[in-house]
Amino acid sequence: MSTYTSALGGRTHRFDGLARLLAAASPERSGDRLAGLAAESAQARVAARWALADVPLAQFLAEPVIPYEDDDVTRLIVDTHDAVAFAPVAGLTVGEFREWLLSDAADASALAALAPGLTPEMTAAVSKLMGNADLVAVARKVRVVTAFRSTIGLPGRLATRLQPNHPTDDPAGVAAALLDGLLLGSGDAVIGINPATDSPKAVRDLLELLDGVIRRYAIPTQSCVLSHVTTSIDLMAAGAPVDLVFQSIAGTQAANASFGVTLGLLDEAYEAARALGRGTVGTNALYFETGQGSALSADAHHGVDQQTVEARAYAVARRYEPLLVNTVVGFIGPEYLYDGRQILRAALEDHFCGKLLGLPMGLDICYTNHADADDDDIATMLTMLGVAGASFVICTPGGDDIMLNYQSASFHDVLYLREVLGLRPAPEFEAWLDGIGLLDERGGIRPVAGTAHPLMAIGKELAA
C-alpha cells in the first residue's frame, strides 16, 4: 500500500493508500461521515486534494482500491481495461487530467475514444478536484447514444422516464398516471413501473398492460417493470412481453450480492434480452439504477468512499451496453446525502463519471421526505443537469411518487426545462407526438381540453 502526504498549514498530512486518499478528498457528505471515512477537517480535505492531484492516473491500475482477489467488480475493471484507449492520458496525473478535460482538446470524439481506457476510480478521483461548474462543462461535451424503439442521448434532446407507480398496481391508477404523462409529452426514454410486488403474475400483468398501450397507440417507446432480474429472466422464458430488463446494481461484489445479483446472472439476462429482438431502431435492452450509499447501507463498501464505490457500479453497467442508466441520487436518504447541497453535488458527480465511462446517464432527481431538501432543490438540480446534457430524467405525476413515497421531478418540470434550454424529446417520440396532435407550432406540448383526444381512451380501457 502506498502512502501519500501533503504539507499544509504547517502540518504534514498522511494518507495510507489510495482508498483513504480518495475518501479524504471527497466533498463533505453524511454517508462518508457515518462510515468514518470523511476528512477530519476542511484543512485535511484540501491537503488530500493537493496530494491526489499529484497521483499518476496509472497508479489506479497498479493499486486497486479493493483487492483483485477479493472482488469480481475489481477483476472486471482490471481485466477489461483498454490500454490503447488509455494511452493518450497515460502519462498524466489526476490534476493534469482535470486540466486536459477542461481544454478544447477534450472534445466529444476524444472523450468517446478515451472512455474504454478509463477506470471508475480515475473518474472519481478527477471529479474530487472539480467544482460543480467543471463537472457540468465536461459532462456536456460527452454524447452517448443508445436506442431500442426510441433513440436516447442525441444532441439537443432530453428524454424522460414516465413513472406511473401505484401502491397496489391498480390498473385504473396506473392508467391515470400514464395518461397524464403521455399528454404532457413524457415517456420517450421508457414507461417504467416499480411494481408493488415482485410476484411473476403481478409483473406480467403490468408488462401486458404497458405492451397493450404501446402497441395500440403505436408509441415509439419501451416498457419496463422494475422487477428483480431473475423474475425478468423467467418471464422472458415464459413468453412475456419484456422490452427492457432492469436491475439495481452497485460497485462491489458484496453489495451486488445484497441485491441477489452476480455478474454471471447479468450475463444471462443480457443474452436473453438481446435474443428477443424487440427493438426497432436499436438493440440496447438493459436498464440499470444505482445510487450513492447503497454499498455503505449493505456494509459492503470495503472502506471506500461512497462516490468512488458508486463510480465502480458504472463499470458493471457498461459491460452490458444498456439503453439507460440512472442514479436515484437522493432516494437512499439523508444518512448518505444529508441535504439539497449534498444531493446536487452527488448528482453532478454521478452524471460526470457515468458519461466519461461511456454510459447513457440519466437521473432520478429526487429526495426523501426526511431529507433537508425541497422543490427548489429539484428545480436547481434539474436545470444544472439539463445544461450538463443528461440523457433523461425520471418524472412522476406532480413530482410525488405515491407508491415509493418520495419527491421527484414532475412532467411539468421537464416541459419547463425543454423550453428554457431549447431541448426536444427523442426524435421518434417527437414525431409521434406531432402525429397525434400534441405538438404545437413551437414544438411544445399542446393543451388538451375535454375528453376528445384519442389518448383519453387509455383511462377507460384500463379501468375496465
Side-chain angles (χ1 to χ4, degrees), residues 1 16-20 23 35 37 64-75 121 250-257 294-306 308-309 312:
M1 179 186 296
D16 293 327
L18 269 180
R20 182 73 194 101
L37 299 174
V65 296
I66 301 174
Y68 183 92
E69 60 274 12
D70 294 347
D71 184 83
D72 63 3
V73 177
T74 297
R75 294 193 289 274
E121 291 85 354
T252 72
Q253 180 177 346
N256 283 321
S294 59
L296 175 57
S297 69
D299 194 23
H301 60 293
H302 295 268
V304 179
D305 71 272
Q306 66 183 39
T308 300
V309 173
R312 285 168 54 93

Side-chain angles (χ1 to χ4, degrees), residues 135-136 139-142 348 351 355 383-390:
L135 297 174
V136 170
R140 184 174 177 79
K141 296 192 284 187
V142 182
L348 295 173
H351 179 254
K355 292 280 282 291
T383 303
M384 291 197 73
L385 270 301
V387 174

Side-chain angles (χ1 to χ4, degrees), residues 51-58 60 89-100 126 129:
L52 181 60
D54 290 334
V55 174
L57 289 178
F60 293 95
V89 298
L92 302 183
T93 65
V94 176
E96 291 167 340
F97 184 42
R98 173 188 178 273
E99 296 306 309
W100 181 82
V126 75
L129 304 185

